[in-house]
Amino acid sequence: MYSIILNISFDSRFFTQIVLVPLQQFSLNKLQRSKDTPLRETLDALSSDQLSPAFGLFVKQLQRGKQLEPYRFLDNQYLIGIDGSQYFSSEKIHCPSCLTRKGTRSKMRYSHQILQAVMLHPHMRQVLPLAPEPVANTDGSSKQDCEINAAKRILANIRSTHPKLPIIITADGLYSKQPFIDTVKAARMSFILVAKTTDHKILFQWVDEFDGLGQTGHMQLTDDKGRQHLYRWVNQVPLNGSADADQANFFEYWLQVGPKVTYHNSWVTDITIGKHNVVELVQAGRARWKIENETFNTLKNQGYHIEHNFGHGQRNLSMNFFTLNLLAFYIHQILELCDPGYQYCRSKFSARKEYWNNLRAAIHIMLFRNFEHLLRNLADPPEIRAP
Ligand SMILES: [Zn+2]
């Protein structure tokens, strides 16, 4: 696997190898220990940084093939959602990188968390992951790492990998604080971040004040289904009560079905808000759920077994298994986006899990010439009688 990753290319053999990664839960478990120990040892010693360049290479290949064009949004920028997730937790198994906290019965609980950045678009089903950033303890540090620190690192990594990409960062309320916003600006990126009343009392007081003076923008739209979309916005409001507070632009949205509000949220951004873009801004802010639903939920519950302990190791094994699994997911997103053969085969199965089960069963009992051969046979199976 080591050599596969270091020789990344877009040939079908590579696809085949990587595509099979999420299917290995069974084979890894069933392999005799003597056989898979060298694989685990190699992966444990491999620095996670050596796998990360794959994500950037994929983006560049997609860009070259004009596959990123549909992802442009809000003045040709790219929306990148960031969010944290935990993929490993145990009271027994641990390594020096584990985060630690006292769990139930005051036993120590060990965990691994990552911060994930994902390129997304409100109208595109596929999400494109960028290199994950571990929230992990490093040697010699007495302080636990945290999601915000990981976020600052991930922004620097994204900017150095993609120096010219026009980027809007979207994230939840944890991130709409001044230090993080300053980091986003320093990385030459824009932002759309959830801002809740509970965290931004002063900001909301300002907004209400402007509203009283008639200086906020308002818009109301009714869609085909009769639902009401209500928008309110104001530019240049102090983000908090401190003397040197950043100025931010604020927008708020209500979805009303009949007399009932079924969705409400509010955000801050550096993009100047007006009637021309407030609908898109809300779509961008709401697209953030795709990182939870279309990314983490898929990785956890749709056949990738991201929370399964494939092996923990003493250095990088846990993180590297996570990254390889994520790369497999990424390849599938790329195939869904641009490979007609894959799209055709996938369309034959409604649930993703069912698709993987069929793929797994097929390779368990039959030999195929290559990945295309496998897909063709799975999509339109020949009539075979058991011997
Ligand atoms: Zn660990």
Side-chain angles (χ1 to χ4, degrees), residues 121-141:
H121 186 284
H123 311 314
M124 296 290 290
R125 267 195 56 223
Q126 290 76 28
V127 294
L128 307 172
L130 281 79
E133 180 63 35
V135 184
N137 290 330
T138 44
D139 288 345
S141 172

Side-chain angles (χ1 to χ4, degrees), residues 173-238:
L174 176 71
Y175 294 92
S176 57
K177 312 283 155 56
Q178 190 150 340
F180 182 73
I181 289 178
D182 290 343
T183 313
V184 176
K185 286 178 178 170
R188 294 178 285 110
M189 297 172 187
S190 282
F191 59 87
I192 297 173
L193 306 168
V194 171
K196 299 272 189 199
T197 336
T198 38
D199 297 326
H200 292 279
K201 286 200 175 75
I202 304 279
L203 173 83
F204 274 82
Q205 279 170 14
W206 275 106
V207 172
D208 289 340
E209 197 104 333
F210 281 121
D211 214 2
L213 295 167
Q215 291 177 6
T216 49
H218 287 267
M219 197 163 80
Q220 187 168 346
L221 299 172
T222 310
D223 66 21
D224 304 345
K225 293 174 187 161
R227 301 179 305 178
Q228 301 286 318
H229 302 261
L230 292 96
Y231 305 83
R232 171 169 86 146
W233 68 91
V234 58
N235 291 306
Q236 296 293 302
V237 196

